[in-house]
Amino acid sequence: MPGPVNRIATSRVDAWLTRLGRLLYPARCPICREVADEASGLCAACAARLPWLRAACDRCALPLADTHPARRVCGDCLQRAPPLRFVQASFLYGFPLDRLLPRFKFHRDLACGRLLSQWMLPACAAAPRPGAVLPVPLHATRLRERGYDQALELARPLARALDLPLRADLVRMRATAAQSSLDAGARRRNLRGAFVVDARRPLPEHVALVDDVMTTGATLHAAARALHRAGVARVDAWVCARVP
């Protein structure tokens, strides 16, 4: 068994090798392949272009004029309240998110997913704290095709960092058509009855759904309604990007 001196020497060698590796093989920006900053994961130029969402509607996360420090509710949500109480979107969907999210979602780039979840964390930490986090699930057929669930890959590190339970009680029962090919009305019809809750133990009164992108909100609204039918009083959503 190595003694304390040997362990210290081994630790110093490991640290030196790590520093050497960073010098010889620095992290590269996933957008432009320039040397990346370790904190952000991007080069300075690409990091400066991240489209952070600063002022948005509390209920749908659509951008609002940045004239008041508090978040507000837009006119559409005042007229017809959505089933989500609060939506936290970290970004608007634009460059470089429009490069990173498709790579993560469709091309098995899980490193991009870890980066996106890392960027989501500060805003989610500042949002109203739920009793549990639930990823919006894929149908079993699509999960087999893709090999991973992008919402789960975002939700898992968020739940771990915020010390929140990660629940998998929401189930997608129907293999619906891809939402990206449908208009707003067709998206809503496409998702009727798509989700059910299979809870082996009671869900908290307040939960947060996690997904990658919110476009019309049809998917998140359908999932939220299923949770409300199962007795959940409040459903929020945490998404990486909002399509304006």
Side-chain angles (χ1 to χ4, degrees):
M1 179 179 294
V5 173
N6 288 337
R7 285 197 295 270
I8 292 171
T10 300
S11 176
R12 288 175 177 172
V13 169
D14 288 344
W16 181 83
L17 288 173
T18 299
R19 289 195 296 270
L20 179 62
R22 288 173 179 167
L23 289 172
L24 295 175
Y25 305 103
R28 295 287 173 178
C29 175
I31 303 300
C32 65
R33 307 309 300 168
E34 292 294 326
V35 175
D37 176 70
E38 288 188 18
S40 71
L42 299 178
C43 71
C46 290
R49 296 186 65 181
L50 283 171
W52 297 98
L53 182 55
R54 304 298 182 187
C57 172
D58 277 351
R59 304 297 294 269
C60 70
L62 280 174
L64 296 173
D66 193 5
T67 57
H68 192 280
R71 291 173 64 110
R72 297 165 294 174
V73 179
C74 70
D76 287 344
C77 290
L78 285 172
Q79 291 180 8
R80 184 177 181 180
L84 294 167
R85 181 79 61 85
F86 181 86
V87 178
Q88 177 60 63
S90 296
F91 300 99
L92 284 174
Y93 191 81
F95 183 87
L97 274 298
D98 58 358
R99 307 293 195 274
L100 296 173
L101 276 164
R103 281 170 52 176
F104 166 49
K105 187 170 183 176
F106 301 115
H107 300 289
R108 298 178 178 269
D109 194 338
L110 298 184
C112 278
R114 290 190 291 272
L115 199 58
L116 295 167
S117 185
Q118 173 187 318
W119 293 340
M120 291 172 66
L121 179 58
C124 294
R129 185 175 176 85
V133 172
L134 290 87
V136 175
L138 293 175
H139 185 265
T141 301
R142 189 159 296 167
L143 180 59
R144 284 194 297 270
E145 293 170 353
R146 189 170 295 172
Y148 62 99
D149 184 332
Q150 74 277 357
L152 176 59
E153 296 299 324
L154 292 175
R156 186 184 288 117
L158 288 172
R160 186 185 306 118
L162 297 173
D163 194 24
L164 289 169
L166 180 65
R167 299 283 297 263
D169 306 88
L170 189 64
V171 180
R172 198 164 192 147
M173 295 297 292
R174 293 196 297 107
T176 53
Q179 290 286 91
S180 57
S181 62
L182 305 175
D183 62 26
R187 285 172 184 248
R188 290 191 293 271
R189 293 190 295 273
N190 186 44
L191 288 159
R192 284 175 187 160
F195 297 101
V196 297
V197 175
D198 181 19
R200 308 299 170 87
R201 50 198 171 92
L203 282 162
E205 292 187 356
H206 176 195
V207 303
L209 290 164
V210 176
D211 209 356
D212 54 342
V213 179
M214 183 176 184
T215 304
T216 65
T219 300
L220 287 160
H221 290 177
R225 291 188 183 100
L227 288 163
H228 285 311
R229 288 194 295 270
V232 177
R234 170 173 175 158
V235 183
D236 296 347
W238 297 348
V239 299
C240 183
R242 180 61 157 105
V243 177

